[in-house]
Amino acid sequence: MLTEQQAKSIRLTPNFNLWEMIYSEDAIKYGLMDQQLSISEKEILNLKRLCQNVLQPLRNELKLPIRINSGYRSLELNEKIKGANNSDHLYGKAADIYIPGRMEMAFSFIRNRCNYRQLINEHNLTWIHISYDEFDNKKQVFNI
């Protein structure tokens, strides 16, 4: 299990570290941060790929911070928040993001310029769900 300090020191890309991809207010609320910090190397690699292929290019384009609402989720956390049983968050392949005032631009950039598995406009761009899978980027786009 990693410590918070170790997670903060693991750079996934120039603008993203592991901590921001595993930190969760819900995990804090339910006492599940230890499970979040028990992330596997495979899941860390998946998060790194997500950051390299989608989040960092988006950050470079917008030149604005990207808030990660939800990245990796342990099984316990996913169950508590009633996430999908097969959620890409469980494998470090997804993130829900928010960029104040730039959601339409972010959605368009990802849709047109990135590889991704799923791109979901959640609740009229309240947040964007983006998933990346090295072997299965079928570019599905949904609005929910």
Side-chain angles (χ1 to χ4, degrees):
M1 181 172 76
L2 297 168
T3 65
E4 177 181 335
Q5 220 34 45
Q6 288 170 322
K8 286 179 177 177
S9 71
I10 296 173
R11 282 258 152 234
L12 302 174
T13 62
N15 292 104
F16 295 93
N17 66 45
L18 180 60
W19 177 252
E20 65 192 304
M21 299 302 291
I22 64 173
Y23 176 81
S24 163
E25 290 180 11
D26 286 324
I28 298 287
K29 179 169 82 174
Y30 295 117
L32 297 172
M33 273 312 294
D34 282 351
Q35 284 81 358
Q36 292 294 101
L37 287 162
S38 295
I39 188 170
S40 74
E41 287 185 28
K42 183 176 181 179
E43 292 153 347
I44 293 171
L45 180 58
N46 288 337
L47 286 171
K48 184 172 187 165
R49 289 179 179 134
L50 172 65
C51 290
Q52 289 173 329
N53 291 285
V54 182
L55 300 180
Q56 188 64 50
L58 178 61
R59 173 71 169 77
N60 292 348
E61 177 72 14
L62 298 181
K63 297 181 179 26
L64 293 168
I66 297 171
R67 189 173 91 203
I68 309 299
N69 295 338
S70 180
Y72 166 76
R73 291 184 204 145
S74 67
L75 181 60
E76 297 87 350
L77 177 58
N78 197 59
E79 288 173 354
K80 279 284 188 191
I81 65 166
K82 297 179 177 29
N85 291 339
N86 62 344
S87 173
D88 284 333
H89 289 277
L90 291 165
Y91 310 102
K93 294 180 179 183
D96 297 337
I97 63 170
Y98 177 71
I99 307 145
R102 296 289 191 267
M103 294 298 283
E104 288 181 26
M105 189 180 296
F107 192 86
S108 178
F109 177 85
I110 295 167
R111 182 179 205 163
N112 297 317
R113 308 241 329 254
C114 296
N115 281 321
Y116 54 88
R117 183 171 188 275
Q118 290 184 333
L119 175 62
I120 305 174
N121 169 351
E122 304 247 10
H123 310 288
N124 199 27
L125 292 175
T126 301
W127 71 87
I128 295 169
H129 169 93
I130 180 69
S131 64
Y132 179 89
D133 184 319
E134 181 181 29
F135 304 108
D136 187 23
N137 285 312
K138 45 190 156 196
K139 290 195 168 188
Q140 294 178 320
V141 178
F142 302 101
N143 293 295
I144 60 169

